[in-house]
């Protein structure tokens, strides 16, 4: 294990996410996955979504990566071609490994407030891209919290923070932490030096690193790549809500075609053919249509 390097990682890039429409009438703020930050190995996409009763993400396929849906407000329904169906609400989490193939639908519960949350896409290493699909689902009360000081609460969705560990299994080593901080607080978070990472703001203003780089809602702050294993985050005159996400880069070839993410162009073509023909993981896609779209 490497010795802890003193100081704080710095911020190398700040990207403001602008609203756009996706799916059917779904408003998203796209952080990773847009032109300014196409991907950040091992992360492929981060959307902050806000979907009312008339919007959503009807039947669509995935192969080769994982989707992590974390709800902030409202409720989201999910249904897939294997019969898996459920609803997540504020603070709940669904960690879906698409693996060799999933066709599913994600829609807001129409009787609730607009569905507001985050969806993260995590690339899978080559040896796991064709694994069997899997779900890990946690209700808000099942996600452990760290309380390093008064006025700082950290939900440990994946990874570890201040001695508190998540039970979520990550095929690609990942940490996903939800921070809520009162005003005039400073906290340090350990992040493995080999991880790529970023901070995404949801509410209030934060100040990051020794330089105090400012971060606001809808902004992505990309962490420096160095041997420093901590990041310092402070608030001033207002409380703040943000997520810290980091993961082990795969450093593998990446070819993405829409909802398929593989290592080569030939594998992408295979994925498209498999989906069209209903084979090699997509057998249950033949004639399937969700009941919630």
């Amino acid at each position: 294990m490497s010795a802890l390097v003193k100081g704080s990682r710095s911020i190398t890039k700040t990207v403001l996410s602008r609203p756009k429409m996706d799916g059917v009438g779904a408003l998203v703020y796209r952080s990773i996955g847009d032109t300014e930050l196409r991907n950040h190995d091992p992360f492929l996409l981060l959307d902050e979504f806000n979907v009312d009763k008339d919007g959503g993400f009807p039947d669509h396929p995935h192969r080769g990566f994982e989707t992590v849906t974390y709800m902030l407000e409202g409720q989201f329904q999910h249904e897939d071609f294997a019969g898996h169906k459920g609803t997540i609400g504020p603070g709940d989490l669904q960690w879906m490994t698409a693996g060799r193939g999933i066709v599913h639908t994600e829609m807001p519960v129409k009787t609730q407030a607009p569905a507001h949350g985050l969806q993260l896409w995590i690339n899978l290493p080559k040896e796991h891209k064709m694994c069997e699909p899997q779900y890990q689902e946690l209700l808000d009360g099942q996600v452990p919290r760290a309380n390093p000081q008064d006025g700082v609460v950290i939900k440990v969705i994946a990874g570890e923070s201040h001695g508190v560990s998540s039970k979520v299994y990550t095929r690609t080593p990942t940490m996903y932490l939800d921070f809520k901080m009162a005003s005039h607080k400073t906290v340090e978070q350990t992040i493995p030096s080999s991880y790529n990472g970023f901070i995404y703001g949801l509410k209030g203003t934060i100040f990051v690193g020794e330089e105090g780089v400012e971060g606001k809602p809808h902004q992505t702050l990309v962490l420096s790549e160095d041997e420093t294993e901590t990041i310092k985050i402070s608030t001033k005159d207002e409380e703040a809500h943000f997520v810290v996400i980091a993961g082990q880069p795969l450093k593998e070839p990446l070819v993405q075609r829409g909802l398929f993410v593989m290592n080569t162009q030939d594998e992408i073509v295979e994925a498209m053919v498999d989906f069209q023909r209903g084979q090699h993981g997509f057998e249950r896609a033949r004639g399937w249509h969700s009941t919630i779209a």
Side-chain angles (χ1 to χ4, degrees):
M1 182 177 294
S2 62
L4 185 66
V5 178
K6 298 294 184 181
S8 172
R9 286 206 197 188
S10 59
I11 300 302
T12 60
K13 186 174 187 177
T14 299
V15 178
L16 175 63
S17 302
R18 303 189 184 280
K20 61 172 59 180
M21 303 307 292
D22 195 24
V24 176
L27 175 68
V28 302
Y29 288 85
R30 182 153 296 163
S31 163
I32 296 171
D34 210 348
T35 52
E36 288 190 72
L37 192 57
R38 178 59 63 190
N39 56 66
H40 189 42
D41 188 11
F43 306 112
L44 304 163
L45 176 143
L46 179 70
D47 276 352
E48 179 183 356
F49 59 84
N50 203 316
V51 187
D52 64 22
K53 62 182 179 62
D54 296 319
F57 303 93
D59 305 4
H60 60 279
H62 293 301
R63 173 180 279 182
F65 63 101
E66 298 181 305
T67 68
V68 183
T69 306
Y70 178 48
M71 293 302 298
L72 300 170
E73 300 172 287
Q75 292 184 319
F76 228 38
Q77 301 176 88
H78 169 270
E79 182 182 12
D80 74 14
F81 67 179
H84 185 276
K85 189 174 182 179
T87 301
I88 54 175
D92 298 344
L93 168 76
Q94 182 198 75
W95 197 293
M96 185 187 82
T97 303
R100 65 202 304 258
I102 280 283
V103 179
H104 74 157
T105 293
E106 301 159 291
M107 304 293 288
V109 175
K110 298 185 184 301
T111 58
Q112 300 293 314
H116 177 210
L118 298 173
Q119 187 168 98
L120 175 71
W121 290 10
I122 307 172
N123 198 10
L124 284 169
K126 182 177 179 62
E127 64 265 28
H128 291 305
K129 282 193 176 295
M130 295 295 285
C131 70
E132 288 298 320
Q134 180 187 3
Y135 292 92
Q136 299 175 83
E137 293 178 327
L138 294 174
L139 300 178
D140 179 50
Q142 297 173 314
V143 181
R145 268 79 163 171
N147 298 94
Q149 57 180 281
D150 289 343
V152 178
V153 178
I154 306 169
K155 286 182 68 176
V156 186
I157 295 168
E160 188 269 344
S161 179
H162 297 270
V164 176
S165 297
S166 167
K167 295 182 180 179
V168 169
Y169 170 62
T170 59
R171 288 172 173 81
T172 301
T174 302
M175 63 189 308
Y176 190 147
L177 309 174
D178 176 319
F179 283 73
K180 288 185 177 178
M181 293 176 59
S183 60
H184 302 290
K185 297 291 180 180
T186 296
V187 68
E188 289 189 348
Q189 173 61 46
T190 299
I191 300 174
S193 60
S194 62
Y195 281 19
N196 286 336
F198 63 94
I199 300 171
Y200 182 77
L202 293 166
K203 177 184 178 182
T205 302
I206 58 173
F207 301 87
V208 183
E210 301 296 345
E211 303 86 356
V213 175
E214 189 175 85
K216 292 181 176 291
H218 307 308
Q219 285 186 334
T220 302
L221 280 60
V222 179
L223 303 183
S224 60
E225 298 178 23
D226 54 46
E227 294 186 358
T228 306
E229 293 190 343
T230 60
I231 184 71
K232 184 173 76 172
I233 306 168
S234 301
T235 55
K236 292 184 178 179
D237 296 331
E238 59 182 340
E239 62 183 20
H241 184 194
F242 56 94
V243 294
V244 175
I245 298 174
Q248 181 68 48
L250 300 179
K251 298 180 180 179
E252 294 180 350
L254 170 66
V255 181
Q256 180 172 356
R257 178 71 63 86
L259 303 170
F260 303 127
V261 181
M262 303 301 289
N263 295 110
T264 69
Q265 184 63 39
D266 285 347
E267 290 171 344
I268 289 291
V269 172
E270 288 174 7
M272 297 173 67
V273 170
D274 289 345
F275 173 59
Q276 291 167 357
R277 294 181 178 176
Q279 63 187 19
H280 302 146
F282 287 109
E283 287 82 359
R284 289 173 290 198
R286 299 171 182 168
W288 180 81
H289 298 286
S290 68
T291 62
I292 62 174

